[in-house]
Amino acid sequence: MTPMPESYFPSTDSMEEADALADRVGVLDKRLLATGTTSELLARFHVYELQFSCHSTDEVVQVRYLMAERMPQWQMIDLMALKYEYEHNGSEAHNPYADLLDEVTACLKEQFQDYIPSFALRKISLENAFFRIVERGHHHVV
């Protein structure tokens, strides 16, 4: 007789933990909202985060001005941390990360001229993907 594969159903509220422990995950919030590998769930969202590390009040003011006037497509998600978010609506056929990095760098060079303030550009985390799945799940099943 062929042995049956085993399945385990641990519960966690940490997507990083789920990624480390499971081949496939399910997102539950009163009902099953999504299933797949963590990579598949993350791939549903073409969202990028941009966070600045400023060393002076003047730098903070300039970054806020730059983001409001030159890059309004980025939404501020954390005022104190100077964190912004951008949802890319196109396909992932080309590299939107490289395009966004070029755009941000060009705007910063123009605004600051002598130097560029420290910043991090990254795709949203698994935790943020989880929250988006749950948020959208209140409207429809993903």
Side-chain angles (χ1 to χ4, degrees), residues 8 10 18 40 53 72 88 92 106 114 130-131 134:
Y8 299 94
E40 289 169 345
S53 176
H88 183 276
E92 290 284 341
D114 296 336
F130 167 81
F131 289 125
V134 170

Side-chain angles (χ1 to χ4, degrees), residues 52 54 56-71 82 84 107-117:
F52 293 92
C54 296
S56 69
T57 304
D58 183 51
E59 222 174 88
V60 169
V61 169
Q62 287 187 60
V63 165
R64 285 185 184 160
Y65 173 81
L66 170 79
M67 296 306 291
E69 296 298 318
R70 299 277 317 281
M71 301 174 71
L82 282 180
Y84 296 83
C107 286
L108 288 170
K109 282 181 180 177
E110 195 173 304
Q111 179 73 26
F112 288 89
Q113 296 175 2
D114 296 336
Y115 70 100
I116 296 176

Side-chain angles (χ1 to χ4, degrees), residues 17 30 32 90:
E17 185 177 44
K30 298 183 183 171
L32 185 61

Side-chain angles (χ1 to χ4, degrees), residues 1 8 10 14 16 20-22 30 37 48 50 71 75 85 98 100 102 109 120-121:
M1 215 175 175
Y8 299 94
S14 167
E16 277 76 12
L21 298 175
K30 298 183 183 171
T37 65
Y48 296 85
L50 176 63
M71 301 174 71
Q75 292 187 348
E85 186 175 87
L100 292 171
D102 289 346
K109 282 181 180 177
L121 175 64

Side-chain angles (χ1 to χ4, degrees), residues 20-141:
L21 298 175
D23 296 328
R24 294 182 55 80
V25 297
V27 178
L28 300 168
D29 187 38
K30 298 183 183 171
R31 66 182 190 274
L32 185 61
L33 301 176
T35 62
T37 65
T38 53
S39 295
E40 289 169 345
L41 297 180
L42 189 55
R44 294 180 184 195
F45 302 99
H46 306 293
V47 180
Y48 296 85
E49 293 176 344
L50 176 63
Q51 184 169 2
F52 293 92
S53 176
C54 296
H55 301 288
S56 69
T57 304
D58 183 51
E59 222 174 88
V60 169
V61 169
Q62 287 187 60
V63 165
R64 285 185 184 160
Y65 173 81
L66 170 79
M67 296 306 291
E69 296 298 318
R70 299 277 317 281
M71 301 174 71
Q73 70 274 26
W74 288 84
Q75 292 187 348
M76 181 179 278
I77 58 172
D78 189 333
L79 177 66
M80 299 305 288
L82 282 180
K83 188 184 271 188
Y84 296 83
E85 186 175 87
Y86 172 71
E87 186 160 1
H88 183 276
N89 293 322
S91 75
E92 290 284 341
H94 71 290
N95 187 351
Y97 178 86
D99 294 345
L100 292 171
L101 184 60
D102 289 346
E103 177 188 2
V104 169
T105 303
C107 286
L108 288 170
K109 282 181 180 177
E110 195 173 304
Q111 179 73 26
F112 288 89
Q113 296 175 2
D114 296 336
Y115 70 100
I116 296 176
S118 300
F119 70 93
L121 175 64
R122 60 190 160 265
K123 197 153 185 185
I124 62 166
S125 68
L126 286 169
E127 293 293 327
N128 286 346
F130 167 81
F131 289 125
R132 284 175 175 269
I133 290 168
V134 170
E135 180 181 280
R136 290 181 181 181
H138 291 291
H139 303 293
H140 65 282
V141 176

